[in-house]
């Protein structure tokens, strides 16, 4: 046998490792691998995707190198070439002789409210949404796997369900499953407990589309994580769609998490950011419309300005307003909304801050000196920031009008009132000014609480 022939060398190594790790594992990981050449002590292997090379490198490389050396190939290193052309990947036989799943997927429910048509698109989620639509249109084709990440309450579960609803809508027989990773772990554990891991595998590995939510829960549950990777691998190689969500960006993850995620990186990764003011307004309008509930525009703007980072909270506010107006039959106004929502809205309004902090943050924002703001110059470039700072002092500090006047370089209290009223009017008229003011407020709070 010529051990310098890549095919022989590889076949020998696989035969040996097969004896050590078992048929299942060996078939799963090594059947799709093709030895290309063995030259200058490097064995080049063609693998279907990066997931394979990572997995082999991590789990088997050390042992393979030892076996190759023991077989007389010398000190051989392994290199991987990724076969990007998915058509070249032979559809891999499922290593588990899988009966058709018992599960009736047509009854697997997606939240009917979580559809694409109910999803408001803005800059914060445009790419995630577009990719989700493309995935739903042709699952398993271009954007596979699809990894969505974003903070809590920003629409990940909504998008996963929208994909499920759309795939099912296009093909009633499609085997689509939505599952949280927590439930995945529980089902896996149950299947082990009941001595039926094959049933579990058959269920998951025969899907056309797996939508797995909140993958962060799976991380560090070693056995389940490994099981998931097998499921993933098996689906991917059969060109079935996998969609994964996480509440953390790859950068925020620990090393273990990053290792898991790196296996998906050759797919498409999209993030959902907190929505900007315009999108928050559009979401509130949409939800109000869906609820058949009329909300005056200024109340919409008020709520959208007050809740910035969580769409679930935004919806919660709307539900409270609705309950209130059904009960009292009183018309909604910004003032009544403020009152109804005072517990739901952040503590931002509550904690008093120092006038000095407001001066500093506003001066910085407008590239002015604090002494300009305290001064008397009347040009708009100074007067507006000064008035805004005074307004903020009125709503954020517990100082009296007189004390505020004093903090602003000895103005009288009428000047403070004038500034307050002028800015109030501007805020009511101009949502973008309002957003800017809110941003300043949160900067001020951030400085204050530092
Ligand atoms: P996540 O899973 O990211 O925590 P969800 O998908 O559960 O967030 O979204 C929270 C709520 O906000 C849901 O009721 C969802 O319908 C709604 N939501 C999120 N994003 C949007 C959007 N872009 N348009 C309409 N509703 C949205
Ligand atoms: Mg969710």
């Amino acid at each position: 046998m010529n051990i310098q022939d890549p095919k022989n060398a590889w076949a020998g190594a696989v035969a040996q490792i097969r004896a050590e790790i078992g048929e299942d594992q060996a078939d799963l990981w090594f059947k799709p691998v093709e030895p290309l050449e063995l030259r200058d002590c490097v064995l080049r292997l063609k693998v279907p995707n990066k997931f394979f090379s990572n997995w082999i490198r991590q789990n088997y490389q050390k042992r393979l190198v030892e076996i190759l050396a023991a077989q007389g190939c010398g000190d051989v290193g392994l290199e991987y070439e990724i076969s990007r052309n998915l058509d070249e990947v032979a559809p891999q036989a499922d290593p588990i002789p899988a009966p058709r799943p018992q599960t009736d997927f047509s009854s697997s429910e997606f939240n009917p409210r979580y559809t694409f048509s109910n999803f408001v698109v803005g800059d914060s989620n445009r790419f995630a949404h577009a990719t989700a639509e493309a995935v739903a249109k042709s699952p398993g084709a271009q954007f596979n796997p699809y990894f969505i990440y974003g903070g809590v309450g920003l629409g990940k579960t909504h998008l996963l369900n929208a994909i499920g609803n759309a795939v099912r809508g296009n093909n009633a027989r499609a085997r689509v499953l939505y599952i949280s990773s927590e439930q995945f772990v529980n089902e896996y554990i149950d299947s082990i407990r009941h001595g039926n891991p094959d049933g579990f595998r058959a269920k998951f590995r025969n899907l056309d589309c797996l939508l797995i939510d909140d993958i962060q829960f799976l991380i560090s549950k070693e056995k389940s994580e490994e099981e998931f990777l097998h499921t993933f691998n098996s689906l991917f190689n059969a060109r079935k769609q996998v969609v994964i969500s996480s509440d953390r960006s790859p950068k925020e993850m620990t090393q273990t998490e990053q290792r898991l995620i790196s296996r998906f990186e050759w797919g498409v990764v999209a993030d959902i950011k907190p929505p900007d003011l315009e999108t928050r307004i559009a979401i509130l309008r949409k939800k109000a419309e869906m609820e058949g509930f009329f909300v005056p525009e200024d109340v919409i703007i008020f709520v959208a300005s007050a809740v910035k980072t969580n769409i679930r909270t935004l919806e919660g506010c709307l539900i409270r307003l609705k309950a209130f107006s059904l009960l009292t039959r009183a018309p909604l106004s910004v003032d009544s909304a403020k009152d109804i929502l005072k517990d739901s809205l952040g503590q931002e309004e509550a904690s008093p801050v120092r006038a000095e902090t407001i001066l500093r943050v506003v001066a910085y924002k407008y590239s002015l000196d604090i002494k300009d703001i305290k001064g008397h110059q009347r040009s708009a470039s100074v007067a507006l920031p000064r008035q805004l700072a005074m307004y903020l002092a009125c709503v954020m500090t517990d100082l009296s009008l007189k004390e505020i006047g004093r903090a602003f370089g000895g103005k009288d209290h009428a000047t403070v009132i004038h500034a307050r009223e002028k800015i109030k009017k501007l805020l009511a008229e101009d949502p973008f000014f309002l957003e800017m003011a809110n941003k300043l407020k949160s900067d001020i709070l951030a400085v204050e609480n530092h």
Side-chain angles (χ1 to χ4, degrees):
M1 182 169 88
N2 173 9
I3 46 159
Q4 291 306 322
D5 171 28
K7 288 207 167 45
N8 285 338
W10 181 243
V14 170
Q16 172 66 34
I17 206 161
R18 177 181 298 275
E20 295 171 12
I21 66 174
E23 293 289 329
D24 264 18
Q25 297 286 320
D27 278 351
L28 185 59
W29 295 110
F30 300 119
K31 239 187 186 167
V33 176
E34 186 193 329
L36 294 173
E37 69 171 353
L38 176 53
R39 203 198 303 162
D40 303 330
C41 287
V42 173
L43 175 59
R44 281 203 315 123
L45 301 170
K46 187 170 181 177
V47 292
N49 55 53
K50 198 163 172 180
F51 180 39
F52 267 84
S53 50
N54 281 342
W55 187 267
I56 295 174
R57 201 175 280 131
Q58 234 167 31
N59 295 282
Y60 304 121
Q61 175 140 334
K62 196 161 157 256
R63 182 64 190 135
L64 286 167
V65 167
E66 282 169 11
I67 296 172
L68 287 163
Q71 291 179 347
C73 297
D75 191 8
V76 174
L78 299 182
E79 266 184 25
Y80 303 90
E81 178 173 307
I82 289 166
S83 128
R84 290 239 168 241
N85 183 355
L86 288 183
D87 292 335
E88 280 177 39
V89 183
Q92 195 199 352
D94 200 313
I96 289 110
R100 272 292 177 218
Q102 303 299 308
T103 323
D104 175 10
F105 288 102
S106 61
S107 68
S108 125
E109 281 310 323
F110 305 108
N111 186 327
R113 289 166 60 90
Y114 291 172
T115 59
F116 284 124
S117 57
N118 287 341
F119 191 83
V120 174
V121 182
D123 285 344
S124 53
N125 57 29
R126 196 177 308 283
F127 180 65
H129 168 264
T131 310
E133 275 199 328
V135 161
K137 213 169 180 186
S138 26
Q142 231 174 332
F143 302 118
N144 199 20
Y146 177 29
F147 182 77
I148 309 177
Y149 71 88
V152 175
L154 296 184
K156 300 180 297 294
T157 299
H158 189 136
L159 277 183
L160 257 57
N161 278 272
I163 295 173
N165 278 315
V167 170
R168 176 68 48 67
N170 293 337
N171 173 5
R173 300 217 323 269
R175 287 166 293 174
V176 202
L177 182 71
Y178 166 89
I179 192 169
S180 70
S181 73
E182 183 170 11
Q183 205 182 332
F184 182 92
V185 170
N186 291 339
E187 285 196 24
Y188 177 62
I189 292 171
D190 279 353
S191 79
I192 302 282
R193 193 177 298 141
H194 298 120
N196 186 24
D198 286 354
F200 173 88
R201 287 173 189 154
K203 168 175 171 180
F204 283 96
R205 296 185 192 181
N206 280 303
L207 291 169
D208 298 312
C209 178
L210 172 63
L211 307 159
I212 186 154
D213 208 357
D214 293 320
I215 192 83
Q216 69 275 359
F217 187 81
L218 204 118
I219 286 161
S220 304
K221 313 248 180 330
E222 262 178 43
K223 278 287 165 206
S224 307
E225 181 180 325
E226 191 181 330
E227 187 58 37
F228 173 69
L229 290 171
H230 286 303
T231 304
F232 172 80
N233 194 36
S234 156
L235 290 172
F236 182 82
N237 283 297
R239 279 177 252 153
K240 305 299 189 185
Q241 181 70 46
V242 181
V243 183
I244 301 148
S245 86
S246 164
D247 72 352
R248 260 164 279 172
S249 80
K251 282 205 190 74
E252 291 163 327
M253 292 174 173
T254 63
Q255 276 197 340
T256 333
E257 292 168 327
Q258 280 177 355
R259 229 182 306 131
L260 175 68
I261 297 309
S262 71
R263 296 179 181 132
F264 312 134
E265 80 191 5
W266 33 265
V268 182
V269 178
D271 66 333
I272 308 188
K273 296 194 183 64
D276 55 19
L277 180 66
E278 261 180 305
T279 312
R280 298 198 298 273
I281 291 173
I283 290 173
L284 280 173
R285 280 197 195 121
K286 175 111 211 161
K287 301 274 171 189
E289 181 196 308
M290 283 168 65
E291 298 277 329
F293 169 46
F294 173 76
V295 187
E297 198 57 25
D298 58 345
V299 174
I300 295 238
I301 294 175
F302 165 71
V303 176
S305 309
V307 181
K308 295 184 208 70
T309 51
N310 188 325
I311 297 171
R312 198 172 294 130
T313 312
L314 210 55
E315 282 183 334
C317 289
L318 200 66
I319 290 166
R320 288 188 72 155
L321 293 178
K322 187 178 177 188
F324 167 85
S325 71
L326 284 178
L327 274 173
T328 62
R329 302 193 176 279
L332 274 178
S333 67
V334 171
D335 280 342
S336 62
K338 248 185 203 167
D339 198 41
I340 301 158
L341 300 176
K342 63 180 181 296
D343 302 332
S344 327
L345 302 179
Q347 287 80 43
E348 293 182 15
E349 326 297 326
S351 53
V353 300
R354 289 165 301 167
E356 212 37 49
T357 311
I358 296 176
L359 284 164
R360 247 170 67 206
V361 172
V362 173
Y364 180 78
K365 158 83 186 163
Y366 285 93
S367 310
L368 296 170
D369 261 4
I370 291 183
K371 67 175 189 307
D372 295 330
I373 295 189
K374 286 185 171 180
H376 295 269
Q377 206 184 314
R378 282 166 174 262
S379 69
S381 60
V382 183
L384 185 74
R386 181 185 298 135
Q387 288 167 331
L388 178 57
M390 282 183 181
Y391 166 84
L392 292 171
C394 290
V395 297
M396 297 182 81
T397 68
D398 49 7
L399 301 176
S400 70
L401 293 171
K402 219 167 156 183
E403 286 166 329
I404 293 174
R406 206 176 303 140
F408 278 75
K411 312 280 189 304
D412 60 29
H413 85 289
T415 309
V416 179
I417 293 177
H418 173 73
R420 187 186 66 193
E421 295 310 309
K422 180 175 167 196
I423 298 296
K424 247 195 199 166
K425 187 155 170 282
L426 276 176
L427 292 172
E429 286 165 1
D430 182 351
F432 298 95
F433 186 63
L434 182 60
E435 175 156 72
M436 198 274 296
N438 278 324
K439 172 80 177 45
L440 275 177
K441 269 196 205 171
S442 55
D443 288 350
I444 290 163
L445 289 171
V447 172
E448 194 71 14
N449 298 326
H450 197 63

Coordinates of all heavy atoms in Angstrom, one line a residue, residues 390 401-402 405 411-421:
M390 N -32.3 74.7 29.8 CA -33.2 75.2 30.8 C -34.5 74.3 30.9 O -34.9 73.9 32.0 CB -33.7 76.6 30.5 CG -32.7 77.7 30.8 SD -33.4 79.3 30.5 CE -32.0 80.3 30.9
L401 N -37.8 77.3 39.7 CA -37.5 78.1 38.6 C -36.4 79.2 38.9 O -35.5 79.4 38.1 CB -38.8 78.9 38.1 CG -39.9 78.0 37.6 CD1 -41.1 78.8 37.3 CD2 -39.4 77.3 36.2
K402 N -36.5 79.7 40.1 CA -35.5 80.7 40.6 C -34.1 80.1 40.6 O -33.2 80.7 40.2 CB -36.0 81.2 42.0 CG -35.8 82.7 42.1 CD -36.5 83.1 43.4 CE -35.9 84.3 44.0 NZ -36.5 84.7 45.2
G405 N -32.8 79.6 37.2 CA -32.3 80.9 36.7 C -30.9 81.2 37.2 O -30.0 81.6 36.4
K411 N -30.3 84.3 35.5 CA -31.5 84.7 34.7 C -32.7 84.8 35.6 O -32.7 84.1 36.6 CB -31.8 83.7 33.6 CG -30.6 83.2 32.7 CD -30.3 84.3 31.7 CE -29.2 83.8 30.7 NZ -27.9 83.4 31.2
D412 N -33.7 85.6 35.2 CA -34.8 85.6 36.1 C -35.8 84.4 35.7 O -35.6 83.8 34.7 CB -35.5 87.0 36.1 CG -36.0 87.3 34.7 OD1 -36.3 86.4 33.9 OD2 -36.1 88.5 34.4
H413 N -36.8 84.2 36.6 CA -37.6 83.0 36.4 C -38.5 83.1 35.2 O -38.9 82.1 34.6 CB -38.3 82.7 37.7 CG -39.6 83.4 37.9 ND1 -39.7 84.7 38.2 CD2 -40.9 82.9 37.8 CE1 -41.0 85.1 38.3 NE2 -41.7 84.0 38.1
A414 N -38.8 84.4 34.8 CA -39.6 84.5 33.5 C -38.9 84.0 32.3 O -39.4 83.4 31.4 CB -40.0 86.0 33.3
T415 N -37.6 84.2 32.3 CA -36.7 83.7 31.2 C -36.8 82.2 31.2 O -36.9 81.6 30.1 CB -35.3 84.2 31.4 OG1 -35.3 85.6 31.6 CG2 -34.4 83.8 30.2
V416 N -36.8 81.6 32.3 CA -36.8 80.1 32.4 C -38.2 79.6 31.9 O -38.2 78.7 31.1 CB -36.5 79.6 33.9 CG1 -36.6 78.1 33.9 CG2 -35.2 80.1 34.4
I417 N -39.2 80.3 32.3 CA -40.6 79.8 31.9 C -40.7 80.0 30.4 O -41.2 79.1 29.7 CB -41.7 80.7 32.6 CG1 -41.7 80.3 34.1 CG2 -43.0 80.4 32.0 CD1 -42.7 81.1 34.9
H418 N -40.2 81.1 29.9 CA -40.3 81.3 28.4 C -39.5 80.2 27.7 O -40.0 79.6 26.7 CB -39.6 82.7 28.1 CG -39.5 82.9 26.6 ND1 -40.6 83.2 25.8 CD2 -38.4 82.9 25.8 CE1 -40.2 83.3 24.6 NE2 -38.9 83.2 24.5
A419 N -38.3 79.9 28.2 CA -37.5 78.8 27.5 C -38.3 77.5 27.6 O -38.4 76.7 26.6 CB -36.2 78.7 28.2
R420 N -38.9 77.2 28.8 CA -39.6 75.9 29.0 C -40.7 75.8 28.0 O -40.9 74.8 27.3 CB -40.1 75.8 30.4 CG -40.7 74.5 30.8 CD -41.3 74.5 32.1 NE -42.4 75.4 32.2 CZ -43.0 75.8 33.3 NH1 -42.6 75.4 34.5 NH2 -44.1 76.6 33.3
E421 N -41.5 76.8 27.8 CA -42.7 76.8 27.0 C -42.3 76.7 25.5 O -42.9 75.9 24.7 CB -43.6 78.0 27.2 CG -44.2 78.0 28.6 CD -44.9 76.7 29.0 OE1 -45.7 76.2 28.2 OE2 -44.5 76.1 30.1

